[in-house]
Amino acid sequence: VDLSKNHIKVLESSLFSGLTNLGNISLNNNLLEELPVTLFAGLTQLDTLGISNNKLKKIPQGLFTNLSSLIELYLSNNDINSLESNCFGGLNALDGLLLEHNSIEAITTNMFIGLGNLSILNLNDNKIQAIEPLGFNGINHLGNLYINNNQLTDAALTIIAGLTTLLGLDLARNP
């Protein structure tokens, strides 16, 4: 389902109910400021979800709970400034999470818990200053971390050094 570039501001919580075989949803390039927590309920076959280029400020707890087949999640170019602990709970198969060009200020404890299969995490062009010691807790197979153009300090870099599975790391343009 492609609903991109439609100037959509609000989505009904039952919009996708009954469409249990959907594999791809694109809500990119709209004017969405929030998403109903039950919007994606029952979409167990969904593997790609694009919600980039909107005006989202937060991700509701439980939004992704039943998306156990989701492989790619695009949340780039929104106004997200913080993410709650376990807000990505249920995304057991997720391989790629793109959060670049938001306003995230910190990587907090357990922010990415449950993303054991995540191999690509893009946090470029945010406002990240701090990474709590357990900020990457639960990411066991992270291969590529893109975290350039943020405001990371030496203390935050020490936490990143503990990510022993990294194959690629982009830290350019941090003070």
Side-chain angles (χ1 to χ4, degrees):
V1 173
D2 187 352
L3 295 171
S4 59
K5 298 181 181 178
N6 279 303
H7 304 286
I8 299 169
K9 293 182 181 180
V10 177
L11 294 172
E12 295 295 323
S13 62
S14 62
L15 179 64
F16 302 115
S17 66
L19 302 175
T20 57
N21 292 319
L22 283 180
N24 184 327
I25 295 176
S26 177
L27 298 168
N28 299 318
N29 300 296
N30 280 296
L31 302 170
L32 298 168
E33 292 183 14
E34 58 183 278
L35 299 171
V37 72
T38 58
L39 182 64
F40 306 117
L43 301 180
T44 56
Q45 302 303 309
L46 194 66
D47 61 29
T48 305
L49 177 57
I51 319 173
S52 294
N53 297 303
N54 280 285
K55 296 183 177 193
L56 296 177
K57 291 183 175 29
K58 67 177 189 167
I59 303 300
Q61 191 82 12
L63 181 66
F64 306 119
T65 300
N66 297 310
L67 301 182
S68 58
S69 296
L70 197 69
I71 296 170
E72 297 176 339
L73 178 57
Y74 301 91
L75 291 164
S76 306
N77 294 296
N78 279 289
D79 295 325
I80 300 168
N81 58 24
S82 66
L83 296 166
E84 293 182 31
S85 174
N86 197 32
C87 72
F88 298 109
L91 298 177
N92 305 327
L94 196 68
D95 181 69
L97 176 58
L98 284 71
L99 285 159
E100 72 267 24
H101 295 281
N102 277 289
S103 300
I104 299 168
E105 296 177 358
I107 305 299
T108 57
T109 299
N110 294 332
M111 183 181 284
F112 302 110
I113 195 84
L115 298 180
N117 288 316
L118 193 69
S119 67
I120 300 169
L121 178 58
N122 191 331
L123 294 162
N124 288 344
D125 298 291
N126 276 282
K127 298 176 182 178
I128 301 170
Q129 298 176 12
I131 300 174
E132 293 182 5
L134 296 175
F136 292 109
N137 189 31
I139 302 180
N140 305 320
H141 302 289
L142 190 62
N144 293 288
L145 175 60
Y146 305 94
I147 195 164
N148 73 48
N149 201 26
N150 280 282
Q151 300 164 9
L152 294 174
T153 63
D154 290 343
L157 298 178
T158 302
I159 304 298
I160 292 172
L163 298 172
T164 58
T165 60
L166 283 180
L167 301 172
L169 175 61
D170 185 351
L171 288 166
R173 297 185 314 272
N174 279 286

